[in-house]
């Protein structure tokens, strides 16, 4: 692991880290799974975290052995329907949906002179940040449309560091998904996993929930 004193910036995931939208994604995908008749399980739900929209749909169809039952056009329709339902939930969001401690942590980072970028797989990230009144904290956002591969590939976290002109070793990546932690580690950054320690066992630092995330707690785990 890098030394705490080498860290100059943070690359953040959004869904499930900054806000509770991971629950909304799950809710909307569960509806799709029910519609196509694919089985829904905790493992599938956890495995979908961090995964792009179309790859998520493929995973759901595969769980029901249904991947060959739909044309590409039908798959796009299913993904669009999911996104419409997801956006209805996002529309009701307010800054109250920011997860505990996150606003304070973002202020701590900003006031400490650390740089900040967003590495979310979600094409809806700018809209979600706007609903949370957090747009000003994230002038640098990796555009998921520019990615050739999604998480767990390192590309998104490599780009997150590049956007703030830092080397990966100078960055901490923050994630709630196993695929995301894998992506951070493969990018050569220090990984923080938030949530189930068993699912996020590969993270360099684990926090049970966002309220534990402070610079002092991170420093204590790195030295
Ligand atoms: C990730 C979520 O952040 O974004 C996934 O963890 C989601 O659940 C992915 O599928 C893509 O999001 P969107 O908003 O572009 O469909
Ligand atoms: Mg996430």
């Amino acid at each position: 692991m890098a030394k705490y004193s080498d860290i100059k910036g943070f690359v953040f995931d959004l869904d499930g880290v900054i806000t509770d939208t991971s629950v909304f994604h799950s809710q909307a995908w569960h509806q799709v799974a029910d519609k196509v008749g694919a089985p829904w399980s905790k493992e599938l739900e956890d495995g979908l975290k961090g995964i792009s929209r179309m790859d998520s749909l493929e995973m759901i169809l595969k769980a029901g052995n249904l991947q060959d039952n739909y044309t590409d056009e039908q798959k796009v329709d299913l993904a669009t329907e999911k996104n419409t339902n997801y956006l209805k939930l996002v529309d009701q969001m307010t800054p109250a949906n920011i997860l505990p401690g996150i606003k304070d942590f973002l202020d701590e980072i900003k006031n400490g002179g650390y740089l900040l970028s967003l590495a979310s797989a979600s094409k809806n990230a700018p809209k979600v940040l706007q609903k949370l009144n957090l747009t000003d904290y994230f002038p640098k956002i990796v555009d998921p449309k520019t990615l050739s591969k999604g998480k767990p590939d390192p590309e998104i976290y490599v780009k997150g560091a590049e956007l703030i002109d830092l080397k990966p070793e100078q960055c901490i990546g923050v994630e709630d998904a196993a695929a995301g932690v894998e992506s951070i580690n493969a990018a050569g950054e220090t990984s923080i996993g938030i949530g189930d320690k068993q699912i996020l066992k590969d993270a360099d630092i684990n926090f049970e929930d966002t309220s534990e995330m402070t610079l002092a707690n991170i420093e204590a785990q790195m030295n």
Side-chain angles (χ1 to χ4, degrees):
M1 206 189 328
K3 278 192 298 190
Y4 179 73
S5 56
D6 292 337
I7 299 302
K8 302 282 179 264
F10 287 80
V11 187
F12 267 81
D13 175 43
L14 173 71
D15 298 314
V17 168
I18 291 173
T19 179
D20 44 13
T21 35
S22 51
V23 181
F24 298 164
H25 279 294
S26 289
Q27 215 172 304
W29 280 130
H30 197 163
Q31 280 178 293
V32 172
D34 286 350
K35 180 174 175 164
V36 300
W40 187 254
S41 63
K42 169 88 171 58
E43 287 68 35
L44 179 61
E45 183 174 5
D46 287 333
L48 291 176
K49 286 183 184 166
I51 306 300
S52 74
R53 198 179 304 168
M54 291 314 288
D55 286 350
S56 295
L57 177 65
E58 287 297 338
M59 279 174 71
I60 290 166
L61 293 175
K62 215 166 168 201
N65 207 12
L66 297 161
Q67 63 274 32
D68 299 328
N69 294 18
Y70 294 86
T71 63
D72 286 350
E73 205 186 343
Q74 287 171 323
K75 287 179 184 178
V76 169
D77 287 347
L78 284 170
T80 303
E81 188 180 325
K82 180 266 172 180
N83 195 49
T84 304
N85 289 334
Y86 172 69
L87 285 177
K88 280 184 199 153
L89 300 168
V90 167
D91 256 341
Q92 293 160 27
M93 287 175 75
T94 70
N97 289 87
I98 299 173
L99 283 167
I102 287 291
K103 184 75 171 26
D104 288 343
F105 185 55
L106 291 175
D107 283 328
E108 201 186 4
I109 292 176
K110 224 175 132 182
N111 297 335
Y114 293 93
L115 299 169
L116 201 52
S117 69
L118 196 78
S120 169
S122 175
K123 296 182 173 133
N124 296 303
K127 186 180 175 116
V128 170
L129 287 176
Q130 197 190 331
K131 297 295 281 182
L132 300 173
N133 271 347
L134 292 179
T135 303
D136 291 349
Y137 286 85
F138 293 96
K140 307 281 182 188
I141 299 176
V142 178
D143 180 354
K145 289 203 270 318
T146 65
L147 301 173
S148 58
K149 283 183 186 158
K151 298 171 189 178
D153 189 274
E155 188 179 11
I156 190 166
Y157 276 93
V158 168
K159 286 200 168 163
E162 277 171 8
L163 280 181
I164 46 179
D165 292 322
L166 293 178
K167 295 191 193 114
E169 315 86 83
Q170 297 174 304
C171 294
I172 289 181
V174 192
E175 268 288 345
D176 69 317
V181 166
E182 210 181 315
S183 172
I184 298 171
N185 291 346
E189 298 168 15
T190 299
S191 52
I192 294 183
I194 297 183
D196 191 324
K197 211 178 164 164
Q198 255 158 330
I199 294 174
L200 305 172
K201 58 182 179 329
D202 293 333
D204 295 311
I205 298 169
N206 289 89
F207 291 127
E208 218 156 280
D209 65 69
T210 49
S211 64
E212 293 173 14
M213 204 162 45
T214 62
L215 287 177
N217 284 348
I218 293 168
E219 183 172 9
Q221 301 251 6
M222 289 182 80
N223 293 326

